Each structure stands twice: as structure tokens, then as C-alpha cells.
Amino acid sequence: AGEELERRCQSFMAPPVTNMQELRDNPGDMKTHMELLILETQAEVCRALAAADGGATFTVDKWNRAEGGGGVSCVLQDSNVFEKAGVNVSVVHGYLPQESILQMKTRGKNLKTKDGKLPFCAMGVSSVIHPKNPHIPTIHFNYRYFEIEEADGNKQWWFGGGTDLTPTYLNEHDVVHFHQTLKDACDKHGPRYYPQFKKWCDDYFLIKHRGERRGVGGIFFDDLDSQPKEEIFNFVESCAKAVVPCYIPIVEKHKNDPYSPEDKLWQQLRRGRYVEFNLVYDRGTKFGLATPGSRIESILMSLPLTARWEYMHSPSPGSKEAEILNVLREPRDWVQ
Amino acid sequence: AGEELERRCQSFMAPPVTNMQELRDNPGDMKTHMELLILETQAEVCRALAAADGGATFTVDKWNRAEGGGGVSCVLQDSNVFEKAGVNVSVVHGYLPQESILQMKTRGKNLKTKDGKLPFCAMGVSSVIHPKNPHIPTIHFNYRYFEIEEADGNKQWWFGGGTDLTPTYLNEHDVVHFHQTLKDACDKHGPRYYPQFKKWCDDYFLIKHRGERRGVGGIFFDDLDSQPKEEIFNFVESCAKAVVPCYIPIVEKHKNDPYSPEDKLWQQLRRGRYVEFNLVYDRGTKFGLATPGSRIESILMSLPLTARWEYMHSPSPGSKEAEILNVLREPRDWVQ
């Protein structure tokens, strides 16, 4: 088992955050399983992106958090195909900030604190890929595991995650491929996951003040805790393994597509909306910005290299810009 | 008095939001005074900017809010000198959104609601000017007046506002001129305004997750209600009149300065920080985004035309980029 662990770690972008001895000593702990899964996912995605880019090399930063834990941030900036591609792993522990406790309470979590303190461990892989070509959509995915120890020693845990696509223009074939791949991964674990998490995704990525979704959706879930841990882990693992097959074929298909300055302009305006969602609404970004000692550069890696805001920009009816806007305003079902 | 009102309105960018008869009928009401002041300020600033630009014409949009009130938005986009210059007046009334009531309570306001409802009237002039040339700083100003009618008929009112500067590079002479002009305006009304509001400005415009201020400050105040209304109005008027003299000379001085692609790049990264502050922390933006029926395009007019986020960008020690960062991290006193 120790050898098997060594072998798996060989493929990672950097050594695990938790020290090897601790991982070896707790082979059955969900924290161990999850840390290995997120590091493996990071490595698989980075390798696939680097290959699609034509041999780019990710910058790898391994960092420590003074308050406990650390992470591995992998970034590709201004490469052949990508404007900015970030794949980040973090494994942090310590005490939950008050703001996050309150935020979790609004989600219905009843947490018994001790002197207002709540020890936690949070780990996840999180990624946003912004390509240069407006015909390749942006993808975001995040898979995470949370443990909290309450004042009475009771441990609460849950999984969260999702994968979603943000195209500049609508290509129905791409969107169907993307959703079908996610649905196939979900369906292995039961028929209700995909429809439920597809809807959750459409609801979550709403830019409320615009009445638009950030993109064409995918899947999103949070607070999964009502089945055995191992079962949920297996589901999360299937979703994580679906990232490369749902996205890389779309990158390959469009990476040499020609595009006009007008296409690029519309992409930049959509990037602006991406920034609006992430800074105003995104729960992960808010949690990160509120967590003391969090690594800001890794959290804000999700922001595009460049973005644009024009006053009163409005696409003409019937244009391909209006076409995607319609989908963002009224989400569709892409697969049955 | 009716003729005097007509005469003042001639100079505005658009007719007042409130109908003329109502303004004529209530010449002594603070709401009338304030609406005229904010429209006058808008016109003065737009004219000065258009002149500095070399004869540009502002786009003027007069809009109505279904829930009550409306506004006048003046925007100049991609002109000779300015990337984006927006000067917005809004006069809105209706019921305060629950989120805003809670937010005001955290600021210590004790508001007696009736069935959870609170009628309010809010008006102000708000502006952000983003120039093209990295040697001209961005300016923001906002002067506003608030009235709330509590369940028992009691009226609460207060003034808020401020003017602050965000340079890409430090030019001490400009910053001293800017602060001195604001200080002179404040000092006419008492010696304590400037030092108090200068500090409030440094505190308010903190981008907490970066440990940096948005700019080199200026003045900021909110919830001013502890002196007679007319006295505070006179103070606010002096501040509003100081906008043109504190800024336009800086625009004129630098509008033909040469700059390099590196200067422009650094400006774009600073624009990214501007977006971070406005979307994550700014109270006015949050209030606007949470207010039903608010005009999103006018609220987000404050965002730059273009912005940039680079992973792990860090200026080299001793560079002019590092010089301004130092000031943003540790605010200085500019005038005695």
C-alpha cells in the first residue's frame, strides 16, 4: 500500500500537501482518499491542457498556509491556446472564520461552536480555463470535501462540486457533448443526480443583477452528506474523471478556428460578466477572501487575464451575440 | 424664485428627475436643494471633462425607475482623453430592500419598520472617470442625501459623499494639489472635517484581501446628521464644487504625456484592483445591486472599459510600480 501511494504521487504536479507519513498511516481516511483524488485530477487536467496547447509548461507553485495546510497552484498564462489556465489544489485546516460559520448557517447547517470556534478541514481542486480563441468556451470545475468538528466532538462532513461551461458563442454540438459526458458520469451512480445537479447549476450561476446565467451550465452540488461517504466519493470521482473528456475534445476542435476582432470584443465583454459573477456571488471566492491567511493569488486565478465593460452594450436582435444571451437568460435542457 | 429655478435648470444635462411643479412648490425642502445641486454638479463636471477632451459630447440617458424616481446618466466612452467617463445622477424613492435595512443596522442605525417596510428617498451624483493616459489618475466622487420615514412618522436623514483619486503612478505634486483643494473646501466649514474624512477615506477604500487601498485617498464621509441640515448641505456643496478644480488641472497637465506599453500594462492591472474593490466592497455598488429596479448600467458605469489580472504579478523593488504600491499599502499625509 505504501508503494502504491508512492507510485500515485509520482504522477502529481507536486508532492501532497499533507506529509507522506500521515497519508501512509491513514489509508482508509476520507481525507487521504480525497487529497489523492484532487492531486490526481489536477495532474490529469494539466497534462491534457499542456498537450492541447502544443507542449506548454505549467508554472507550479507549492505554498503553505501559516494557519495550517497549503496547496499546489498550477498556472499557464498567455500560452498558444490559453489566455489563462489555472488548476489549484488546496488542503487547509484551522478554525472557520465567523463569516463562514454565519454563511453556512444560512444554508441550514446547525453547527455547535466552542467559544465561537469551529475546527475545520477543507480540501478541493478548483480550476478555471480561459482560452484565447472565442470559439473555445471557458470551463470551470471544482470538487471539494469539508470536515468540521463540533464542540461535542461530533464530526460533520460534506462534499461539493461541479463542472460548468461558459461559451462566448453558442455551438449546440459542443454544449450537448459537454452535458452528455457529465450526464454519463452522473448516471453511473443513479438517475437522479444529473437532472438535479443540472438545475442546481443553472440556479447557482445566476448573475442576479443581469438576469443572466454565467454560462450554459453543467452540474453543481453542495452539502452532499445523506449517503455513505464512500458512495458520494465514488460519485465525485466519476465527475472529476469526466473533466478531461467533456472539455478537451472541444478545445481540439476549435483551437485553430479563425475569429474576427468583433468576436474577440464580445468575448471580452463576456469575460466582464464572468468577473461580476465571481466577485459578487461566488461562494467559493467569498469563502476564500474571508478566510484568514488564504492565498489570494490562487483564489483570484479564476479571473480572466483581460475583461471589458462597455456602457449599454446591447447585441442586435438575431445576431450570434443575441443567440447566446437568450440561452443565458433562459437555460435549456441539452440532453434527455 | 420660479424664474430662478428655470434658469438653473437650463444649464443641466437633462431636465430634473422630479417634476418642475413639485420643485417649484417645495423651494425650501432639502430634497429640492439637493436635487438641484447634484444636477448642477453633473453639468459642471461634464462640461469641464468635455472641454479637456477637446470637444467630446457626452451621451445623455434620462431614465425612469418603475418603483419610483429615475436618473440622468452621462457617459463618454473611448474619447480622445478618456477610456470611460461616467457622471450619474439618481433620485429614487420607494421601499428599502431588506438587505439594505440590515446593512444600515450594522452601521448602528436603529430603524423602526412597519410590516418590515421602510419608505425611503435617496439621491446623489456619482462619477468615475477612467482616462486613457496612465499618467492621468482615475477620479471618483459621490455626493448623496438619504431620507427614511419610520413607522412612527419620524424622519431620519443623512448626507454622505467623498472624492478620491486613483493614480497608476505616483506624482506627488498632483496628489498634494488634489488633497489641498479638498482640504480648502473642507476648512471653510471647520478644521476637523478634512483630517477626519481623509482618514475615513483611507479606511473605507481598503481592498482588504490585498492589504492595499484603491488609491491615494481624498475624503469620504457617511451618515452625517449631527448638525443642522443646511450646515451640512453647505459643506457638501463646497465639496461638490471642488471636484473640477481638484481634478481638471491634473488632466490638462498630463493629457499629452508620452507613455510606454509597460505603463499601459500596469494601468490595466490597477484597473483590475479597481474592479475588485467596487464589486467586493463598495457600499454604493452593493446597495445598487440589491435595490429592486435599479439601473444596472448606471451602477456598473464605474467599472473601467478594460482591466487585467495576471497571476503573481509583482513589481521589482525600487520600480515606479513598487513606489505607488507602497503608498497604497501605507497611506501618507499629503497636506498639513
Side-chain angles (χ1 to χ4, degrees):
Chain A
E3 270 174 46
E4 163 70 8
L5 178 69
E6 297 286 346
R7 195 191 52 75
R8 283 186 75 180
C9 292
Q10 289 302 317
S11 71
F12 298 164
M13 303 298 281
V17 176
T18 305
N19 76 61
M20 290 298 284
Q21 193 55 50
E22 203 175 324
L23 295 175
R24 259 192 298 267
D25 291 349
N26 300 284
D29 193 325
M30 183 51 73
K31 293 204 290 292
T32 303
H33 287 310
M34 192 65 182
E35 183 165 343
L36 297 177
L37 173 64
I38 59 185
L39 285 162
E40 201 162 71
T41 304
Q42 179 181 50
E44 277 172 17
V45 172
C46 287
R47 259 192 294 275
L49 292 170
D53 195 72
T57 308
F58 274 82
T59 301
V60 178
D61 287 318
K62 194 165 190 303
W63 47 272
N64 292 306
R65 178 170 170 269
E67 293 82 352
V72 180
S73 295
C74 301
V75 183
L76 199 59
Q77 202 166 260
D78 206 3
S79 69
N80 291 324
V81 174
F82 303 104
E83 191 186 91
K84 198 160 148 195
V87 190
N88 190 40
V89 155
S90 68
V91 179
V92 303
H93 44 86
Y95 294 102
L96 266 191
Q98 201 56 37
E99 216 173 311
S100 305
I101 298 178
L102 289 174
Q103 213 265 324
M104 286 171 185
K105 284 191 176 163
T106 67
R107 268 156 57 203
K109 291 206 179 292
N110 186 14
L111 302 164
K112 292 178 283 295
T113 61
K114 189 181 176 178
D115 308 328
K117 283 190 166 182
L118 210 49
F120 82 106
C121 172
M123 59 177 78
V125 57
S126 174
S127 171
V128 179
I129 315 295
H130 294 292
K132 287 181 173 170
N133 194 312
H135 300 297
I136 313 177
T138 288
I139 191 177
H140 158 254
F141 69 90
N142 167 235
Y143 290 95
R144 57 191 180 276
Y145 175 66
F146 232 94
E147 273 188 16
I148 281 179
E149 194 181 331
E150 295 188 90
D152 57 9
N154 180 44
K155 273 193 187 169
Q156 290 208 31
W157 56 266
W158 66 89
F159 290 88
T163 303
D164 63 277
L165 200 71
T166 304
T168 297
Y169 292 110
L170 181 64
N171 178 312
E172 297 201 18
H173 188 274
D174 293 345
V175 182
V176 169
H177 163 80
F178 180 79
H179 274 269
Q180 187 66 56
T181 310
L182 293 177
K183 182 172 184 293
D184 292 345
C186 290
D187 286 355
K188 279 187 236 166
H189 303 270
R192 279 183 302 184
Y193 287 110
Y194 174 77
Q196 188 187 345
F197 299 159
K198 189 271 181 197
K199 183 179 183 310
W200 201 341
C201 191
D202 287 336
D203 293 344
Y204 179 78
F205 289 104
L206 175 66
I207 306 172
K208 207 179 153 190
H209 59 268
R210 299 279 188 185
E212 291 168 14
R213 271 96 209 142
R214 190 176 74 174
V216 295
I219 55 172
F220 180 89
F221 55 89
D222 205 354
D223 299 322
L224 285 204
D225 62 358
S226 52
Q227 279 164 282
K229 249 184 207 177
E230 287 296 335
E231 273 181 36
I232 305 180
F233 175 79
N234 290 339
F235 166 73
V236 168
E237 188 178 32
S238 287
C239 295
K241 297 283 178 209
V243 170
V244 168
C246 79
Y247 186 56
I248 297 296
I250 302 176
V251 176
E252 291 291 354
K253 188 175 149 194
H254 296 290
K255 71 181 182 186
N256 296 316
D257 283 4
Y259 58 87
S260 69
E262 290 70 36
D263 297 343
K264 195 69 192 169
L265 194 76
W266 176 244
Q267 180 199 54
Q268 292 299 299
L269 292 169
R270 300 314 306 169
R271 293 271 202 267
R273 299 291 212 272
Y274 209 91
V275 172
E276 287 179 31
F277 179 84
N278 287 22
L279 294 182
V280 179
Y281 301 106
D282 186 59
R283 204 186 274 174
T285 306
K286 278 172 188 280
F287 177 80
L289 296 184
T291 304
S294 64
R295 191 171 188 262
I296 295 305
E297 287 293 335
S298 297
I299 295 164
L300 297 182
M301 218 167 66
S302 64
L303 300 178
L305 191 62
T306 54
R308 185 177 179 94
W309 285 268
E310 280 185 21
Y311 175 69
M312 296 289 274
H313 186 280
S314 181
S316 35
S319 64
K320 54 186 188 164
E321 288 78 13
E323 182 187 31
I324 183 77
L325 262 188
N326 288 339
V327 176
L328 302 177
R329 285 171 186 161
E330 286 182 53
R332 290 191 210 156
D333 286 326
W334 299 99
V335 289
Q336 296 310 318
Chain B
E3 270 173 48
E4 163 71 7
L5 179 68
E6 297 286 345
R7 196 191 51 73
R8 281 185 77 180
C9 291
Q10 290 302 320
S11 71
F12 297 164
M13 302 298 282
V17 176
T18 305
N19 76 61
M20 290 298 284
Q21 194 56 50
E22 201 177 324
L23 295 174
R24 260 192 298 267
D25 291 349
N26 300 284
D29 192 324
M30 181 52 72
K31 291 202 290 294
T32 303
H33 286 311
M34 191 65 182
E35 184 166 341
L36 297 176
L37 173 63
I38 60 185
L39 285 162
E40 199 161 73
T41 304
Q42 179 182 51
E44 278 172 17
V45 172
C46 287
R47 261 193 292 277
L49 292 170
D53 195 72
T57 308
F58 274 83
T59 300
V60 179
D61 288 316
K62 192 166 191 303
W63 47 273
N64 293 307
R65 178 170 171 271
E67 292 83 350
V72 180
S73 295
C74 301
V75 182
L76 200 60
Q77 202 165 261
D78 205 3
S79 68
N80 292 324
V81 174
F82 303 104
E83 190 187 90
K84 198 158 150 195
V87 191
N88 190 42
V89 156
S90 69
V91 179
V92 304
H93 43 88
Y95 294 102
L96 265 191
Q98 201 55 37
E99 214 174 312
S100 304
I101 298 178
L102 288 174
Q103 214 266 323
M104 285 169 183
K105 283 190 175 162
T106 68
R107 268 155 58 201
K109 292 209 178 290
N110 186 14
L111 301 164
K112 291 179 282 296
T113 61
K114 189 181 176 181
D115 306 327
K117 283 188 163 184
L118 212 48
F120 81 104
C121 172
M123 59 176 77
V125 57
S126 174
S127 172
V128 179
I129 315 296
H130 294 292
K132 286 181 173 172
N133 193 313
H135 300 297
I136 313 178
T138 288
I139 190 177
H140 159 252
F141 70 89
N142 166 235
Y143 290 95
R144 60 193 177 275
Y145 175 65
F146 231 95
E147 272 188 16
I148 281 180
E149 195 181 332
E150 294 188 89
D152 56 9
N154 180 44
K155 273 192 186 168
Q156 289 208 33
W157 57 265
W158 66 91
F159 290 89
T163 303
D164 62 278
L165 200 70
T166 304
T168 297
Y169 292 110
L170 182 64
N171 178 312
E172 297 200 19
H173 188 273
D174 293 345
V175 183
V176 169
H177 163 79
F178 180 79
H179 274 269
Q180 187 66 56
T181 310
L182 293 177
K183 182 173 185 292
D184 292 346
C186 291
D187 286 355
K188 280 187 234 164
H189 304 269
R192 277 181 306 182
Y193 287 110
Y194 175 77
Q196 188 186 344
F197 298 159
K198 189 269 183 199
K199 182 179 183 312
W200 201 341
C201 191
D202 287 335
D203 292 343
Y204 178 78
F205 289 103
L206 175 65
I207 307 173
K208 205 178 155 193
H209 59 269
R210 299 280 189 184
E212 291 168 13
R213 272 94 208 143
R214 189 176 74 174
V216 295
I219 54 171
F220 179 90
F221 54 90
D222 204 354
D223 301 321
L224 285 203
D225 62 0
S226 53
Q227 280 164 283
K229 250 184 207 179
E230 287 296 336
E231 272 182 37
I232 305 181
F233 175 80
N234 290 338
F235 165 72
V236 168
E237 188 177 33
S238 288
C239 294
K241 298 281 177 210
V243 170
V244 168
C246 78
Y247 187 56
I248 298 295
I250 301 176
V251 176
E252 291 292 354
K253 187 173 149 196
H254 296 291
K255 70 181 183 186
N256 296 316
D257 283 5
Y259 58 87
S260 68
E262 289 70 36
D263 296 344
K264 194 69 191 170
L265 193 77
W266 176 244
Q267 180 199 53
Q268 292 299 299
L269 291 169
R270 300 314 306 167
R271 294 271 202 265
R273 298 293 213 270
Y274 209 89
V275 172
E276 287 179 31
F277 180 84
N278 286 22
L279 294 182
V280 179
Y281 301 106
D282 186 58
R283 206 186 274 175
T285 305
K286 277 172 189 281
F287 178 78
L289 296 185
T291 304
S294 64
R295 191 171 189 265
I296 295 303
E297 287 293 334
S298 297
I299 295 164
L300 297 183
M301 216 167 67
S302 63
L303 300 179
L305 190 62
T306 53
R308 185 177 179 93
W309 285 268
E310 281 185 23
Y311 175 69
M312 296 289 275
H313 186 281
S314 181
S316 35
S319 64
K320 55 187 188 165
E321 288 80 13
E323 182 186 31
I324 183 75
L325 262 188
N326 288 338
V327 175
L328 303 177
R329 284 171 186 161
E330 286 182 52
R332 290 191 210 156
D333 286 325
W334 299 100
V335 288
Q336 296 310 319

